[in-house]
């Protein structure tokens, strides 16, 4: 009992850090229309700029490797400092090169952070790994649901997209220091540092069939987050209405993780991923087919609910295959996921430019379908490899 209680300060700080991290990342979506106007960009170029975050995230595999070697709480706290620096750069930027550098730096920080803290929680709460990962990612949904409407409202009130990047900085500094302070709790958990990382590449190849789910999940999640406000604005709705839908989408993902997360260990990782992604696809198709605001809002809320457990469950699944290399494997999963973010942001931007905003939403449906297919096939390939 005493050992279990020692874990919770680390859990709480990690939860708060995830919340702030998600807020900063999701400021970009509602800011894109203002950045487009200010810098006089077309939608294709805007998509390339948004994808810079994903390019920086390719460093996650390095962050995961370092976290397995040096400690996951330590790497997580350092990445929060870098995330804060990139947010300040975005909040003070006046020229395109600064924005480019800030988004790349933000992607690097996000990759390091995601790889380290996901592995830390998965190993610390190994007996209920699926539930623990889903509950942790509720923090992502809180930050992600708050950021779009707050940012859109501040843009309308202040006329600046930069304000939202400065708001979380004081709290981010405090939480980063606390995570560093509690790093010894991690070392006393089920994670033992240092570990043998000489077989990292071999283990990555083993989990690749499951890891290939990640690009489609993050492509869908961040595609909606980055582009839906612009799509709604271009189809006759207001920026605040678009930001509200994204906020509800992320908020209901958190509800889905709270409600369905405790059941994932019992239902099985593959079943959760496959069934929920199919339900997500159906609700997105309804939202696209009936262009009425309340229906779009309701269907994106339902899509968020069903999609919510999918990424944390994939993280739990991949960590269960080799917990001692959890940081490296979580980083590998995130790197593949950022490839999906890059493809999604660029593809959607160019589709808006070429086909218009309505047909551009078809990318969301494609990714939802690919999640289901890759989850089903990946599990069969892993099972075949063990037999």
């Amino acid at each position: 009992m005493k050992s279990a209680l020692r874990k919770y300060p680390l859990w709480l700080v990690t939860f708060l850090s995830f919340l702030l991290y998600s807020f900063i990342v999701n400021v970009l979506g509602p800011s894109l229309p203002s950045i487009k106007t200010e810098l006089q960009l077309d939608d294709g170029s805007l998509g390339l700029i948004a994808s810079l975050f994903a390019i920086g995230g390719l460093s996650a595999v390095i962050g995961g490797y370092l976290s397995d070697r040096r400690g996951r709480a330590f790497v997580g706290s350092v990445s929060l400092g870098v995330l804060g620096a990139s947010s300040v750069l975005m909040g003070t930027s006046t020229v395109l090169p600064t924005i480019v550098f800030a988004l790349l730096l933000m992607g690097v920080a996000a990759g390091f952070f995601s790889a380290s803290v996901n592995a830390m929680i998965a190993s610390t709460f190994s007996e209920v790994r699926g539930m623990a990962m889903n509950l942790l990612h509720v923090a992502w949904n809180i930050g992600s649901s708050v950021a779009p409407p707050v940012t859109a409202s501040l843009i309308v009130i202040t006329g600046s997209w930069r304000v939202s990047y400065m708001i979380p900085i004081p709290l981010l500094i405090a939480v980063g220091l606390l995570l560093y302070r509690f790093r010894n709790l991690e070392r006393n958990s089920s994670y033992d540092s240092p570990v043998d990382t000489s077989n990292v590449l071999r283990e990555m190849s083993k989990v690749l069939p499951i890891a290939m789910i990640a690009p489609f999940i993050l492509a869908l999640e961040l595609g909606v987050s980055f582009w839906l406000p612009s799509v709604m604005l271009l189809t006759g709705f207001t920026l605040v209405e678009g930001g509200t839908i994204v906020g509800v989408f992320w908020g209901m993902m958190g509800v889905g993780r709270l409600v369905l997360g405790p059941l994932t260990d019992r239902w099985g990782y593959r079943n959760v991923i496959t069934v929920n992604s199919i339900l997500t696809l159906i609700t997105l198709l309804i939202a696209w087919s009936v262009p009425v605001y309340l229906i779009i809002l309701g269907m994106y809320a339902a899509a968020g609910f069903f999609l919510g457990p999918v990424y944390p469950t994939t993280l739990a699944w991949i960590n269960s295959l080799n917990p001692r290399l959890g940081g490296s494997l979580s980083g590998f999963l995130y790197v593949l996921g950022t490839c999906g973010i890059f493809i999604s942001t660029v593809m959607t931007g160019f589709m808006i430019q070429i086909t218009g905003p309505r047909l551009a939403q078809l990318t969301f449906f494609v990714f939802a379908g690919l999640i289901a297919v890759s989850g089903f096939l990946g599990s069969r390939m892993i099972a075949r490899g063990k037999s």
Side-chain angles (χ1 to χ4, degrees), residues 59-365:
S59 64
V61 69
I62 301 174
Y65 178 83
L66 290 175
S67 72
D68 287 335
R69 298 284 295 181
R70 302 300 301 273
R72 294 160 186 169
F74 171 74
V75 172
S77 64
V78 172
S79 65
L80 286 177
V82 178
L83 182 67
S86 66
S87 188
V88 170
L89 279 176
M90 285 293 289
T92 57
S93 61
T94 56
V95 294
L96 181 58
T98 306
I99 294 175
V100 167
F101 177 73
L103 287 173
L104 284 170
L105 189 64
M106 188 177 294
V108 171
F112 273 54
F113 177 81
S114 180
S116 57
V117 300
N118 278 311
M120 180 177 67
I121 295 302
S123 61
T124 303
F125 296 87
S126 57
E127 294 180 357
V128 286
R129 189 177 282 113
M131 181 180 71
M133 296 306 297
N134 273 280
L135 294 181
L136 173 65
H137 281 250
V138 170
W140 168 272
N141 296 109
I142 295 173
S144 302
S145 63
V146 170
V150 167
T151 302
S153 299
L154 285 173
I155 290 172
V156 172
I157 294 169
T158 68
S160 174
W161 56 271
R162 297 173 175 84
V163 177
S164 294
Y165 279 109
M166 304 302 293
I167 290 175
I169 298 304
L171 280 174
L172 191 69
I173 294 172
V175 170
L177 291 173
L178 282 173
L179 186 58
Y180 180 80
R181 170 68 178 81
F182 291 148
R183 67 193 186 280
N184 289 331
L185 295 181
E186 179 215 358
R187 289 176 185 152
N188 290 332
S189 73
S190 58
Y191 162 62
D192 298 316
S193 178
V195 297
D196 178 18
T197 54
S198 60
N199 61 342
V200 170
L201 292 178
R202 184 170 67 252
E203 293 302 311
M204 286 180 180
S205 66
K206 289 181 181 179
V207 303
L208 184 60
I210 294 174
M212 284 307 299
I213 305 170
F216 309 125
I217 301 173
L218 294 190
L220 176 55
E221 290 183 358
L222 275 299
V224 169
S225 187
F226 286 167
W227 278 115
L228 193 60
S230 297
V231 167
M232 295 297 292
L233 191 61
L234 291 169
T235 52
F237 299 95
T238 68
L239 182 63
V240 172
E241 286 175 328
T244 300
I245 291 178
V246 174
V248 170
F249 172 75
W250 283 114
M252 288 303 295
M253 283 180 67
V255 175
R257 287 165 178 173
L258 278 173
V259 174
L260 302 176
L263 304 174
T264 55
D265 296 293
R266 186 189 316 165
W267 286 354
Y269 300 144
R270 184 193 69 178
N271 295 333
V272 170
I273 292 169
T274 304
V275 173
N276 282 38
S277 57
I278 292 173
L279 293 172
T280 300
L281 173 60
I282 293 171
T283 53
L284 289 176
L285 283 170
I286 296 173
W288 181 74
S289 302
V290 187
V292 177
Y293 182 74
L294 289 179
I295 293 177
I296 295 172
L297 180 66
M299 288 300 100
Y300 269 95
F305 178 84
F306 293 127
L307 186 62
V310 176
Y311 187 67
T313 300
T314 306
L315 276 165
W317 195 357
I318 204 170
N319 272 273
S320 69
L321 299 175
N322 192 331
R324 292 181 62 79
L325 289 178
S328 299
L329 297 180
S330 295
F332 179 52
L333 193 75
Y334 188 86
V335 165
L336 293 177
T338 57
C339 294
I341 297 173
F342 177 83
I343 293 170
S344 176
T345 51
V346 173
M347 181 187 299
T348 307
F350 279 111
M351 284 195 68
I352 290 174
Q353 186 173 333
I354 297 169
T355 68
R358 183 162 173 76
L359 288 178
Q361 296 173 70
L362 292 174
T363 57
F364 303 155
F365 315 146

Side-chain angles (χ1 to χ4, degrees), residues 13 20 26 58 175 229 241 268 356 381:
V13 171
L20 294 170
N26 285 282
L58 295 175
V175 170
E241 286 175 328
M381 292 175 69

